Amino acid sequence: MTAPDAGLHLSISNVSKRFGATTVLEDIHLGMAKGELVTLLGPSGCGKTTLLRVVAGLTHPDTGRVELAGRDITRAPPYKRNVGVVFQSYALFPHLDVAGNVGFGLKLRGLPKADIASAVHRALSLVHLERYADRPIRALSGGQQQRVALARAIAVEPSVILFDEALSALDRKLREAMQSELRHLLTQIGATAIFVTHDQEEALTMSDRVAVMYKGRIDQLADPRTLYDQPATAFALSFVGQSLSLKGKVVSSDADGSVVETSAGPLRVPRRFLRGSSVIVATRPEHVTLTAGDNTLTGTVVGATFQGSRSLVEIDAAGTRLTAEMPGRCTLPERGETVIFSWPLSETLSFSGEEHA
Amino acid sequence: MTEAMPAPPKLSDPERRTAFLLSLPAAMILLIMFILPLGLLLGVSFTGPEGFSLAAYQRLLTTPHYLSVIWNSLKLALVTTALTFLIGYPASFAIARARGGWRSLMLGCLFLPLAASVIVKAFAWTILLRSDGIINSTLMLLGIIDEPVRMIFTQTALIVGSANVFLPFMILPIFAVVAQLDPRLGEAAAMLGANPAVAFLKVTLPVTMPGIIAGVALVFSLSVSAYVVPTLLIGERYPTLAATIAKAYLLTQQPAFGAAAGVVLLSIAIAVVILSSRFGRSSGGLS
C-alpha cells in the first residue's frame, strides 16, 4: 500500500473491483487537489462509472482506499460521505417540488427553516431557476431538471460532486451551452468535481485533467493539452481527437529513433524500438501537408470536403484510409488524384503494437 | 391525480358532439347494467309491508347480531388488506427489480391464479387445511403432531385463504408504480444524507403511495364483500354481510333486508375508496 499523498483533497489508491470473473477496476490511483475538475473518459464498460460509484460509496471496492478531505471513507456508507451526485437520469424526487428537491439534504441535516429557504434560493439562483421554486418536477423541461439536479447536489455543499454522464440526456446544443456554464459555475463555487463521460469534447471542455480509462485501468491521466499532444497509448490517441495511424514493423533503430516499415512505406519515429517489433505510427490530421517532408507518403485522394474554417482530405495510402486536415481556403486536390503528403518528425507519435490489441 | 392530467383541449361543437356519441355505448351499459339495478336495490331497501319503511335498516343497524356481522366483514377486510399489503409491497419491488425471465415468471405466478375461479381456490384451501388434508397428514407423518390440528373453519384459515385470493390485486397496482420508478431515487436520497430508513420514509413510501392506495382500495372493497371465501373456509361460524345478503334473498325471502345489507356494504366500500383517494392527494402522491 502506498501512502496517500498529503494535501490531496480526494485520494484513491490501489482500488480494484471484480464482478465475478470480470475485473472492472484494476489498481486505480487518482489524487485530486481541492477545486480540481477531473473527467473519467472512456468507452462503455471501461470502469469509469464503477469508479465513480466507489467514490460515492454505492459500490465497495475489493481492495484499496478512498480518502476524502483527510478522512478514510473506504467503508463509510454513502449517506455519511458528504459526496454529491448528479445522476444521468437526474433521479429527482417526483413527489416534491423544485424547492423540496433542492432542500431535501438540508432538511435532513436539521437546519432551521429560514436557513434552508435561503440556501435553496442561493442554489437555485446559481442555476437560474429561482423563479421555479414551487413548480412540480414534471412541469420542467429536461434542461431545467438537469439544473435542479445540480442545484440539489450543490445545496448541501458536498466535499466533492460527481457527475455520472449528467449531460448526456440533453440535446447537443443545450449540452454544449451547459458544459461551459457548468464549468464556470463549479469554478465560481470552488467545487471539486469528477465527471464521467464517453464524450471526449465534453472531457476536454470541462476538466483540468482527464483520466482516459480502458479495460478497468487509467491509461493516461493528464491535462487536455498533454493528452492531445502526447497520448500515452494507442487507445488514448484513438479516443481523444482525430488521428491517422499505420501499423508496421521496425526495420532499423538508432540513437535518434527507429524506422518503421508500413504498408504505405517507411516512416521515421523519434523513439527507439526493438528491431522486428510491431509499432503503430500516428499523427494528428492538422500536421499533415500536401508537400514532401520528414515522413512522406504517396496516396490517392478518395474525397475532399470543405467545412468552412477547415477542409478534410481523405487519402488512400496502400489500402489504409487517412484523413488530413487543411486550412479552409486552400485549393483542394481532385478525387482520384495521386498526391504526396507528409508530416514532421516532431509531430510523429509511436506506440508499441503490443500495448493494446 | 387529476391535477397531473394536462388540461383537456378546447373542443369545437361538432367535436363535442362526436365525443358525446362515442361515450354513449359505455354510458348506456353503465346505466342499464349498473345504475338501474342499484336504484332498484336502493328502492327495495326502503320498502316494508305498507310501502316506505326504514325497518330493514333499523333491524340491520340495531340488532347486536347484525352489528357483529358488519364488524366481521370489516375485520376480514382490514386484516386481509393489511396482510396483503405487508406481503405485496416487498413482492412488488422484487418483481419490478427482477430481470427478464424472472420477472415474467413472477408475473405469471401472479396472473395465472386469476384465471382460476375463486371457488376453485377456496376449495383448494379446504383440501389443504381439512383434518385429513395434506398439511395435517404431512405434519403427522413427520411426527410433529400426533392428532390433526384444527385448521379449516377457523379465522386463521379464512385470513390465509382471503389473503391468497386477493394478493394479486394488491401487488399489481403497486408493481405498476414501482416499475416506473427510477431505481436511482434511493441512491439520490442516500447521497443527500438519508440513511436507508429515512430514504424509505421520505422517498420510497410517498412516491409509491398512489399504487398503495389503489391496492388498498381494491383489496378492501373486494374482501369486505367476499362471499365464496368466508362461506367455504369458515362458514356459519363467521357470518359476513355478503352471506347475510345471500341468506336474505335465497333462504328467508326478505328482499328489503337483503337490499339494505347490500346498500350498507356498498356504502362501506365507497367510503373506503373515497377516503383513500383523499388521503392519497393530501399525502402528495404523484400521478
Side-chain angles (χ1 to χ4, degrees):
Chain A
M1 290 269 276
T2 48
D5 301 49
L8 283 177
H9 185 60
L10 173 70
S11 142
I12 300 166
S13 41
N14 298 90
V15 163
S16 296
K17 176 76 186 174
R18 296 168 145 278
F19 287 127
T22 359
T23 303
V24 192
L25 293 175
E26 201 173 346
D27 197 25
I28 298 284
H29 290 261
L30 177 65
M32 284 176 67
K34 202 171 164 56
E36 199 179 14
L37 308 178
V38 166
T39 294
L40 308 178
L41 174 69
S44 57
C46 72
K48 56 191 194 299
T49 296
T50 307
L51 182 54
L52 197 80
R53 290 175 68 82
V54 164
V55 177
L58 298 169
T59 298
H60 286 295
D62 298 334
T63 62
R65 193 176 162 89
V66 182
E67 282 187 23
L68 180 61
R71 194 163 69 93
D72 181 1
I73 58 163
T74 317
R75 298 278 150 219
Y79 52 90
K80 284 185 179 163
R81 292 196 171 202
N82 198 27
V83 169
V85 179
V86 179
F87 292 92
Q88 182 173 17
S89 62
Y90 313 141
L92 295 173
F93 305 130
H95 61 301
L96 300 174
D97 61 10
V98 169
N101 269 275
V102 178
F104 188 88
L106 301 162
K107 223 169 155 183
L108 290 183
R109 282 158 176 74
L111 293 181
K113 268 200 167 140
D115 292 5
I116 294 176
S118 67
V120 166
H121 183 79
R122 214 177 317 126
L124 281 177
S125 42
L126 277 171
V127 298
H128 311 296
L129 280 179
E130 59 269 48
R131 285 168 54 213
Y132 289 76
D134 50 9
R135 297 279 178 97
I137 294 303
R138 58 176 170 268
L140 304 181
S141 70
Q144 289 167 337
Q145 293 192 12
Q146 214 277 330
R147 286 157 193 268
V148 175
L150 175 61
R152 183 176 69 176
I154 60 179
V156 292
E157 295 176 11
S159 303
V160 58
I161 310 179
L162 313 176
F163 294 82
D164 184 13
E165 304 266 11
L167 300 179
S168 65
L170 304 177
D171 64 66
R172 188 181 170 82
K173 225 171 167 180
L174 194 55
R175 191 167 64 228
E176 280 169 8
M178 261 321 265
Q179 281 171 12
S180 52
E181 191 184 322
L182 185 54
R183 166 133 214 194
H184 177 77
L185 189 155
L186 292 173
T187 315
Q188 186 190 338
I189 60 174
T192 312
I194 304 179
F195 305 94
V196 153
T197 185
H198 58 268
D199 179 343
Q200 47 126 338
E201 248 174 76
E202 190 175 310
L204 298 181
T205 313
M206 302 291 292
S207 24
D208 301 318
R209 284 191 299 160
V210 178
V212 177
M213 291 188 67
Y214 186 66
K215 291 186 175 172
R217 294 166 172 275
I218 293 183
D219 254 25
Q220 186 171 14
L221 174 63
D223 64 283
R225 176 109 195 221
T226 309
L227 192 65
Y228 187 81
D229 288 341
Q230 295 155 34
T233 62
F235 176 76
L237 166 85
S238 65
F239 206 77
V240 178
Q242 301 295 312
S243 59
L244 42 133
S245 60
L246 294 138
K247 271 187 189 163
K249 285 228 180 308
V250 176
V251 287
S252 69
S253 193
D254 55 39
D256 297 329
S258 320
V259 175
V260 181
E261 188 62 47
T262 71
S263 57
L267 294 169
R268 269 205 81 79
V269 298
R271 189 174 151 192
R272 292 192 66 173
F273 286 101
L274 276 178
R275 267 187 64 176
S277 59
S278 42
V279 165
I280 295 164
V281 185
T283 191
R284 297 292 185 186
E286 63 270 26
H287 301 311
V288 176
T289 54
L290 295 180
T291 54
D294 292 343
N295 275 323
T296 308
L297 293 173
T298 312
T300 314
V301 175
V302 285
T305 44
F306 171 70
Q307 292 196 336
S309 61
R310 61 178 193 169
S311 295
L312 298 180
V313 180
E314 231 186 297
I315 300 165
D316 183 307
T320 310
R321 287 267 179 119
L322 305 169
T323 304
E325 193 181 316
M326 307 288 149
R329 296 287 156 207
C330 80
T331 319
L332 293 175
E334 293 291 318
R335 251 189 89 166
E337 199 178 309
T338 302
V339 289
I340 54 161
F341 61 100
S342 70
W343 62 88
L345 186 62
S346 58
E347 303 297 348
T348 304
L349 302 163
S350 55
F351 309 95
S352 164
E354 278 89 37
E355 276 171 11
H356 280 304
Chain B
M1 285 234 195
T2 43
E3 62 175 280
M5 298 287 195
K10 290 244 186 311
L11 297 176
S12 67
D13 282 346
E15 278 174 331
R16 211 171 293 221
R17 202 165 50 232
T18 314
F20 173 73
L21 286 173
L22 284 174
S23 69
L24 217 51
M28 291 309 286
I29 286 182
L30 278 178
L31 185 74
I32 296 169
M33 316 283 287
F34 198 61
I35 310 271
L36 279 181
L38 273 184
L40 276 174
L41 187 80
L42 200 63
V44 170
S45 75
F46 287 107
T47 56
E50 291 111 35
F52 179 82
S53 163
L54 287 171
Y57 287 97
Q58 198 182 11
R59 186 171 152 216
L60 190 65
L61 299 174
T62 53
T63 319
H65 171 71
Y66 290 119
L67 284 176
S68 81
V69 166
I70 294 175
W71 171 236
N72 277 351
S73 280
L74 274 175
K75 195 167 73 177
L76 171 62
L78 286 171
V79 176
T80 304
T81 308
L83 197 62
T84 51
F85 172 72
L86 289 177
I87 300 169
Y89 193 70
S92 308
F93 279 81
I95 300 172
R97 300 272 190 266
R99 286 172 191 275
W102 278 111
R103 187 173 180 164
S104 310
L105 183 73
M106 288 197 252
L107 281 174
C109 290
L110 199 61
F111 274 117
L112 218 56
L114 289 179
S117 150
V118 63
I119 300 180
V120 174
K121 276 179 275 188
F123 263 122
W125 277 110
T126 65
I127 293 168
L128 285 172
L129 298 176
R130 68 184 183 218
S131 46
D132 58 346
I134 295 170
I135 296 177
N136 267 322
S137 21
T138 309
L139 288 177
M140 290 209 292
L141 202 71
L142 293 172
I144 296 169
I145 52 171
D146 297 326
E147 282 184 10
V149 176
R150 187 192 178 89
M151 283 183 277
I152 190 76
F153 305 133
T154 61
Q155 295 200 13
T156 314
L158 172 65
I159 295 303
V160 168
S162 163
N164 169 256
V165 167
F166 296 121
L167 185 62
F169 300 96
M170 182 62 81
I171 292 182
L172 287 176
I174 299 178
F175 162 74
V177 171
V178 175
Q180 300 294 316
L181 285 187
D182 182 351
R184 298 271 176 266
L185 283 180
E187 292 182 352
M191 298 319 300
L192 291 165
N195 64 43
V198 171
F200 176 77
L201 287 176
K202 298 270 179 189
V203 177
T204 313
L205 197 60
V207 163
T208 50
M209 198 49 90
I212 296 174
I213 285 158
V216 164
L218 262 176
V219 170
F220 189 93
S221 41
L222 285 172
S223 55
V224 79
S225 57
Y227 173 68
V228 174
V229 172
T231 305
L232 288 183
L233 292 183
I234 193 161
E236 286 293 321
R237 301 162 154 272
Y238 193 89
T240 58
L241 265 177
T244 304
I245 296 169
K247 217 155 114 185
Y249 278 107
L250 302 174
L251 289 176
T252 56
Q253 304 294 335
Q254 297 167 310
F257 185 66
V263 169
V264 168
L265 185 55
L266 194 64
S267 311
I268 293 172
I270 290 174
V272 166
V273 170
I274 291 177
L275 277 178
S276 56
S277 72
R278 278 272 173 80
F279 178 72
R281 221 166 296 161
S282 66
S283 74
L286 73 165
S287 60

